[in-house]
């Protein structure tokens, strides 16, 4: 379906609105689990609008429609969505709740499926409607049942066990810890709707959505350690002996809300109001339960990795580094060789080749997200995904950005590198140098235990700000252990994130710069938070891939920045020089030269051959 095919979908949905006595419908990007990547069946926003990004929502009215997306997608949405059908708004700078306060008309009835909207967002939308004299109406039925004729079936991805030796803790021990935490918080029941939290607690992994190894399910855990898991039994297979489920009650997902209503009366239920659907909150209150709206204790426990998990990250990053170095060496050779020919190297071909390199590595399962393989102007879209109709040739005139990662049996990887295979413009050099300086500033910072992500975010932006530049996305995120590549609760962002960083957290550091219609650039390492004495922490890089310095103004780097880069590149060289293929070794050695060596090369005063030491 193309953007030109969305008009009939809008017309059908407006017919449903009229028949239902509604003036509008809010269509979120998410599913009942607030998933960043949904199963095809649940991707109603894409079906309605054509927008393929991972964050957004739409408001459909009788004679107009609006779509709200964040800064990562402001360019992309205008390419995917028909402007004659949808007006584009910013998800955070001009949010829907504010729009409703100003523009909603008295008496309007705006429908919403409360299994698809988190409680806190529901409150803001309801307040926006009420301020204007309108009403937010909780729907009993999914409107897309009526208008989506060929809707895909619910996923039935197979579930596998995560061995306790890889997780570093048995599921039974985790349950004891979480149950004790419930009692300490005065709660009698934990209502869990996040699939990665459930997967972590039960030591399982799933395959309902590619690249997201979590099973769609719900869970109730009592302070008495009794646990009921609402999951489609077909996903588990016939032999349950491989799982740690001996005293777990298994029930169908369809029974989740009914069972919650039966068990919550007179009890305090802990729910995460940022993620639990409004329908869950309404069920608890409607059944006579009490609410404790807090970050899930599983979310917090999961973020503090065990020694076994941390070793898994280190091991899989070594494998991933081999794959990515061999890939980048291949790109650096192929691009100039094929430029100007009838078959230049393109984004999609390169994406497929990167997957092939990773598939050769021990423990690799699948990518951790769709690779962002972006040449030229396409790289100005932060979360670009190449398609046959956009598949650009990679050349030496503009930077090539590749953001990718892998799901391994023992961890998850995520990194970004930007290559410049020709002579950069002065504008490119200025911007990329600022990006690198911001990257190094945050990567090298020393901070007290418990420092929050937003308190560190400006370290990555300062050099860009000094150049009059910035980027409209967060600077980093948590990463799951063979779980979701974007893991809560930690974030580096300008927006407040009230969760302190402690040793054992895993994060990314990824500043960038994007010039619409011209180029984009980003540098990203995955890092481990480690103790640094006296109540302080620092970051240790897990990513083992050289940083391309072709666009960097080396003479502007401080001695501390040079020393940090030299130390990092020496580590990468030492770890990989005996492990990469012989074809990639010269590129690895060249890319990991010291800053002084690279300065001499640029000045044409290079003596002797590059040493392999």
């Amino acid at each position: 379906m193309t953007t030109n095919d969305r008009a009939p979908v809008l017309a059908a949905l407006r017919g449903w609105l009229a028949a239902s006595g509604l003036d509008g419908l809010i269509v979120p990007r998410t599913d009942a689990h607030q998933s960043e990547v949904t199963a095809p069946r649940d991707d109603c926003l894409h079906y309605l609008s054509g927008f393929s990004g991972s964050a957004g929502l739409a408001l459909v009215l009788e004679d107009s429609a609006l779509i709200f997306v964040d800064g990562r997608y402001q360019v992309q949405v205008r390419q995917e969505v028909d402007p004659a059908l949808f007006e584009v708004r910013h998800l955070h700078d001009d949010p829907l709740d504010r729009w409703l306060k100003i523009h909603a008309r008295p008496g309007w009835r705006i429908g919403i499926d409360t299994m698809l909207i988190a409680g806190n967002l529901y409150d803001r939308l309801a307040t926006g409607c009420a301020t204007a004299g309108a009403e937010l109406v909780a729907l009993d039925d999914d409107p897309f049942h009526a208008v989506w004729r060929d809707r895909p079936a619910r996923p039935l991805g197979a579930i596998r066990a995560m061995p306790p030796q890889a997780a570093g803790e048995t599921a039974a021990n985790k349950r004891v810890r979480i149950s004790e935490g419930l009692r300490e918080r005065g709660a009698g029941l934990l209502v869990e709707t996040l699939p990665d939290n459930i997967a972590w607690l039960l030591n399982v992994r799933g395959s309902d959505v590619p690249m997201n190894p979590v099973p769609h399910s719900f869970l109730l855990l009592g302070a008495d350690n009794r646990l009921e898991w609402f999951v489609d039994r077909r996903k588990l297979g016939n032999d349950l002996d491989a799982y740690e489920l001996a005293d777990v009650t298994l029930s169908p997902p369809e029974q989740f809300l009914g069972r919650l209503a039966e068990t919550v009366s007179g009890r305090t239920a802990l729910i995460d109001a940022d993620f639990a659907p409004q329908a869950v909150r309404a069920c608890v209150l409607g059944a006579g339960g009490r609410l404790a709206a807090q970050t899930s204790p599983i979310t917090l426990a999961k973020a503090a990795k065990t020694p076994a998990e941390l070793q898994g990250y280190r091991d899989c990053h070594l494998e991933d580094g081999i794959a990515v170095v061999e890939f980048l060496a291949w790109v650096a050779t192929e691009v100039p060789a094929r430029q100007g020919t009838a078959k230049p190297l393109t984004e999609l071909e390169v994406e497929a080749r990167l997957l092939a390199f990773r598939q050769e590595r021990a423990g690799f399962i699948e990518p951790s997200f769709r690779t962002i393989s972006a040449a030229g102007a396409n790289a100005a879209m932060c979360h670009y995904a190449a398609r046959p109709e956009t598949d650009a040739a990679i050349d030496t005139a503009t930077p090539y950005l590749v953001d990718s990662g892998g799901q391994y049996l023992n961890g998850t990887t995520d990194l970004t590198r930007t290559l410049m295979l020709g002579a950069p413009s002065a504008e490119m050099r200025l911007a990329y140098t600022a990006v690198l300086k911001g990257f190094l500033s945050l990567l090298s910072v020393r901070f007290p235990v418990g420092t929050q992500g937003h308190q560190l975010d400006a370290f990555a932006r300062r050099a860009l700000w000094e150049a009059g530049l910035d980027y409209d996305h967060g600077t980093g995120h948590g990463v799951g252990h063979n779980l979701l590549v974007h893991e809560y609760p930690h974030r580096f962002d300008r927006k407040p994130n009230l969760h302190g960083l402690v040793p054992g957290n895993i994060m990314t550091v990824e500043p960038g710069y994007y010039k619409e219609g011209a180029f984009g650039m980003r540098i990203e390492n995955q890092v481990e938070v480690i103790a640094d004495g006296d109540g302080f922490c620092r970051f240790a890089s897990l990513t083992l891939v050289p940083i391309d310095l072709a666009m960097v103004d080396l003479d502007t780097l401080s001695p501390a920045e040079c020393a940090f880069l030299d130390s990092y590149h020496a580590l990468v060289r030492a770890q990989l020089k005996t492990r990469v293929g012989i074809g990639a070794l010269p590129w690895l050695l060249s890319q990991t030269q010291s800053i002084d060596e690279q300065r001499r090369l640029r000045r044409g005063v290079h003596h002797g051959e590059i040493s392999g030491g």
Side-chain angles (χ1 to χ4, degrees):
M1 184 180 287
T2 68
T3 55
N4 295 327
D5 298 319
R6 309 297 167 168
V9 179
L10 265 177
L13 195 57
R14 286 176 172 138
W16 180 89
L17 287 173
S20 304
L22 296 171
D23 299 286
L25 177 71
I26 294 171
V27 181
R29 172 64 178 78
T30 52
D31 57 16
H33 311 283
Q34 296 297 297
S35 303
E36 185 174 8
V37 182
T38 62
R41 174 188 178 80
D42 297 317
D43 201 351
C44 297
L45 185 60
H46 179 261
Y47 178 75
L48 173 67
S49 68
F51 174 63
S52 64
S54 62
L57 75 167
L59 172 63
V60 178
L61 301 168
E62 180 183 6
D63 54 3
S64 63
L66 303 94
I67 186 166
F68 296 76
V69 302
D70 67 27
R72 296 170 296 172
Y73 298 113
Q74 288 294 309
V75 176
Q76 179 178 328
V77 70
R78 289 169 170 82
Q79 296 186 355
E80 294 182 336
V81 175
D82 188 343
L85 300 178
F86 289 89
E87 178 184 343
V88 176
R89 296 291 183 118
H90 198 290
L91 185 63
H92 303 304
D93 296 344
D94 186 21
L96 176 54
D97 56 297
R98 184 187 303 165
W99 188 95
L100 289 167
K101 288 180 182 179
I102 299 170
H103 299 288
R105 299 173 189 169
W108 268 7
R109 301 180 73 246
I110 306 296
I112 190 165
D113 184 342
T114 55
M115 274 302 288
L116 305 182
I117 199 84
N120 282 345
L121 178 54
Y122 177 88
D123 287 343
R124 295 197 298 273
L125 296 173
T127 298
C129 285
T131 301
E135 179 186 3
L136 190 62
V137 179
L139 301 177
D140 295 325
D141 299 311
D142 178 357
F144 284 86
H145 283 326
V147 302
W148 194 343
R149 300 288 177 84
D150 55 348
R151 193 173 188 178
R154 295 190 185 281
L156 286 172
I159 293 174
R160 58 183 168 88
M162 171 61 80
Q165 58 267 32
E169 187 176 11
T170 66
N173 284 346
K174 292 179 181 180
R175 285 171 53 189
V176 169
R177 281 206 289 141
I178 301 303
S179 295
E180 289 176 351
L182 289 176
R183 294 193 294 273
E184 291 170 0
R185 298 182 189 205
L189 183 69
L190 173 64
V191 184
E192 189 57 76
T193 62
L194 293 180
D196 61 324
N197 280 359
I198 296 169
W200 176 87
L201 181 66
L202 298 178
N203 280 346
V204 297
R205 299 297 185 264
S207 56
D208 282 325
V209 177
M211 301 175 281
N212 293 258
V214 296
H216 288 176
S217 60
F218 304 99
L219 181 144
L220 298 177
L221 174 64
D224 58 3
N225 205 25
R226 293 182 182 178
L227 189 150
E228 188 166 1
W229 187 20
F230 299 86
V231 63
D232 194 314
R233 285 284 298 267
R234 292 173 290 180
K235 299 178 184 181
L236 290 163
N238 295 323
D239 183 6
L240 299 184
D241 290 343
Y243 306 104
E244 301 173 70
L245 301 174
D247 56 348
V248 172
T249 300
L250 300 176
S251 300
E254 295 77 16
Q255 295 181 8
F256 169 58
L257 288 180
R259 181 66 175 149
L260 174 59
E262 292 173 2
T263 59
V264 77
S265 178
R267 304 171 77 183
T268 297
L270 193 154
I271 68 168
D272 192 327
D274 285 328
F275 296 102
Q278 166 61 18
V280 169
R281 187 168 64 171
C283 178
V284 171
L285 296 176
R290 297 179 297 273
L291 284 175
Q294 303 175 24
T295 300
S296 171
I298 301 179
T299 297
L300 300 176
K302 172 167 55 66
K305 310 307 180 188
T306 66
E309 289 174 323
L310 292 171
Q311 189 58 50
Y313 282 107
R314 298 175 195 127
D315 293 343
C316 74
H317 272 278
L318 182 59
E319 294 292 329
D320 207 55
I322 297 167
V324 176
V325 164
E326 293 184 342
F327 160 75
L328 292 175
W330 174 81
V331 170
T333 300
E334 289 292 304
V335 168
R338 290 167 56 176
Q339 183 170 263
T341 69
K343 195 175 180 182
L345 199 61
T346 68
E347 296 165 335
L348 285 174
E349 181 183 352
V350 167
E351 181 180 348
R353 192 73 182 93
L354 174 54
L355 175 59
F357 277 113
R358 279 199 169 104
Q359 286 172 331
E360 296 174 359
R361 305 317 312 165
F364 178 76
I365 304 169
E366 61 181 341
S368 55
F369 58 96
R370 170 75 193 277
T371 294
I372 301 170
S373 174
N378 288 340
M381 293 178 278
C382 305
H383 278 206
Y384 168 77
R387 306 185 304 274
E389 62 270 25
T390 66
D391 187 23
I394 303 168
D395 58 31
T396 58
T398 55
Y400 169 65
L401 184 154
V402 56
D403 185 346
S404 71
Q407 292 286 4
Y408 289 79
L409 290 172
N410 52 355
T412 301
T413 70
D414 181 9
L415 75 148
T416 306
R417 290 295 182 262
T418 304
L419 297 185
M420 186 69 207
L421 300 172
S425 67
E427 181 182 28
M428 294 173 188
R429 192 179 295 281
L430 172 70
Y432 188 77
T433 300
V435 170
L436 176 66
K437 283 177 168 286
F439 171 83
L440 295 174
S441 178
L442 181 50
L443 203 63
S444 60
V445 71
R446 188 171 186 256
F447 55 93
V449 172
T451 299
Q452 297 166 351
H454 63 278
Q455 296 171 318
L456 299 176
D457 181 77
F459 282 90
R461 298 182 191 267
R462 179 176 175 177
L464 283 156
W465 288 347
E466 289 176 346
L469 308 175
D470 202 358
Y471 51 93
D472 193 6
H473 61 72
T475 300
H477 55 83
V479 180
H481 180 254
N482 187 212
L483 288 168
L484 301 182
V485 72
H486 291 165
E487 182 173 272
Y488 291 94
H490 299 101
R491 288 287 186 275
F492 296 128
D493 206 331
R494 287 173 292 193
K495 295 180 293 184
N497 180 286
L498 303 182
H499 301 283
L501 292 163
V502 298
N505 294 153
I506 300 293
M507 298 292 294
T508 66
V509 173
E510 48 183 306
Y513 176 69
Y514 314 91
K515 183 177 181 181
E516 183 175 352
F519 59 82
M521 48 187 61
R522 185 163 62 250
I523 307 171
E524 175 188 13
N525 269 21
Q526 196 169 320
V527 298
E528 173 186 346
V529 180
I530 64 172
D532 198 38
D534 301 321
F536 278 74
C537 299
R538 64 180 176 87
F539 299 119
S541 281
L542 294 165
T543 303
L544 294 169
V545 176
I547 298 166
D548 185 56
L549 302 180
M551 287 189 286
V552 176
D553 185 346
L554 297 178
D555 292 334
T556 67
L557 297 181
S558 70
E561 289 167 336
C562 292
F564 194 94
L565 277 170
D566 285 348
S567 176
Y568 176 68
H569 281 151
L571 171 67
V572 172
R573 179 185 287 209
Q575 290 290 316
L576 300 184
K577 68 179 182 180
T578 61
R579 293 181 168 96
V580 299
I582 191 168
L585 183 58
W587 184 86
L588 172 66
L589 298 178
S590 172
Q591 292 287 304
T592 54
Q593 293 177 95
S594 71
I595 300 299
D596 282 345
E597 289 173 315
Q598 298 207 37
R599 284 174 175 153
R600 285 196 294 270
L601 275 175
R602 289 192 186 181
R603 294 167 183 156
V605 191
H606 180 56
H607 299 287
E609 297 295 321
I610 298 169
S611 170

